Amino acid sequence: MGLESSLYEAVGAVLGIAIGVPHAWMAFRTLNLGTGLSVSGIRLLQVALLLILVTLLAGLLPARRAIRLSPMMALGSGAA
């Protein structure tokens, strides 16, 4: 139940950091902001851990609701 959402989060975090940091660096250079881009590894880890928590909640809450609903009720009412 939470494993699938954790996998999505891990892939999303890796791709987000791999794509986002270079794009932020290019934006700093393009806009000539006068300061360099400084990215702390600790800050990236904190953000990744926060994303894990949010993604787990986003995956677990609907699953918990679905467990409480009988299959017959779900099929009969159109709720999923």
Side-chain angles (χ1 to χ4, degrees):
M1 174 164 46
L3 182 62
E4 184 180 359
S5 62
S6 297
L7 180 62
Y8 285 135
E9 184 283 323
V11 170
V14 169
L15 288 176
I17 290 170
I19 294 171
V21 170
H23 278 82
W25 178 80
M26 287 189 307
F28 269 76
R29 284 197 54 160
T30 302
L31 297 173
N32 293 325
L33 296 176
T35 61
L37 178 64
S38 175
V39 180
S40 166
I42 297 295
R43 180 61 68 185
L44 290 176
L45 181 63
Q46 289 172 339
V47 169
L49 290 175
L50 178 65
L51 288 174
I52 289 171
L53 177 65
V54 169
T55 306
L56 280 174
L57 289 176
L60 289 176
L61 293 178
R64 210 175 111 198
R65 188 175 347 127
I67 287 172
R68 293 182 184 161
L69 189 61
S70 75
M72 292 304 291
M73 288 295 293
L75 291 172
S77 67

